Amino acid sequence: SRSITSKRVSRSPKRQTASPKTAQNLLPTALRGKKPISTVLIPSGLDPYAYALGCQGDCLAPLIVDGDTAVCSPSTKPEPGMIIAFSWKSGRQGSLKRLVSQLFGTNNGGNCQLLITVEMDNPWRQFFLDPGTIDKAHVVIGIVRQGKYISLTT
């Protein structure tokens, strides 16, 4: 799935708010200062800094399908098995992938570097991401499908 559009998050039944400056700094650079295109309703008690992204594509189907809205948490620590929304320093369109591992390895010069392994389901493929190209990596804590919130964390 690819993240393509920002959406405002509303909580029910009571609304939690974060300071505008802090919330803006936690957003991926490509979304800062842009107006949300719509609003989605999520349960109260989730990350007050959560934001939502429209999804296009089916690389994580059937878990996340084209047209779903991914609810992302900048405050949740990424762990293997979680779905992560990656945004890129280059400004190119972000993407959602399942985190496999974050390990230290060595490059051709023998220097230590972080290796981020991710995968997609449809078709299944596993690959490495260069941490130096990543702007933000936030956990997808849930999705909104046809108006209903579905939690992806336990």
Side-chain angles (χ1 to χ4, degrees):
S1 291
R2 292 185 176 256
S3 338
I4 56 165
T5 51
S6 66
K7 298 185 179 192
R8 187 175 316 263
V9 172
S10 293
R11 289 159 181 79
S12 66
K14 68 178 188 177
R15 184 172 172 91
Q16 300 171 343
T17 57
S19 77
K21 185 175 183 179
T22 301
Q24 280 293 311
N25 289 338
L26 291 172
L27 283 174
T29 303
L31 298 180
R32 290 183 197 158
K34 292 188 176 175
K35 289 186 175 188
I37 61 163
S38 66
T39 301
V40 294
L41 188 64
I42 63 170
S44 63
L46 297 179
D47 182 355
Y49 300 110
Y51 62 94
L53 300 170
C55 299
Q56 179 182 20
D58 62 357
C59 73
L60 288 170
L63 180 65
I64 300 174
V65 298
D66 192 65
D68 283 350
T69 299
V71 179
C72 305
S73 170
S75 303
T76 302
K77 181 183 175 196
E79 295 181 16
M82 292 180 159
I83 304 300
I84 309 296
F86 291 96
S87 62
W88 312 106
K89 289 180 181 176
S90 67
R92 75 178 169 105
Q93 187 175 30
S95 62
L96 305 182
K97 300 291 181 244
R98 181 176 293 104
L99 179 64
V100 175
S101 64
Q102 299 178 76
L103 302 172
F104 284 95
T106 57
N107 61 17
N108 291 339
N111 297 319
C112 189
Q113 68 181 37
L114 179 65
L115 300 174
I116 298 174
T117 309
V118 297
E119 66 186 13
M120 54 190 243
D121 296 336
N122 190 22
W124 185 86
R125 193 174 115 200
Q126 195 172 77
F127 49 95
F128 297 103
L129 298 179
D130 175 2
T133 64
I134 298 170
D135 173 45
K136 302 284 183 186
H138 294 151
V139 174
V140 177
I141 56 173
I143 59 169
V144 177
R145 181 177 293 154
Q146 298 175 349
K148 181 180 178 188
Y149 179 80
I150 303 166
S151 177
L152 296 184
T153 59
T154 54

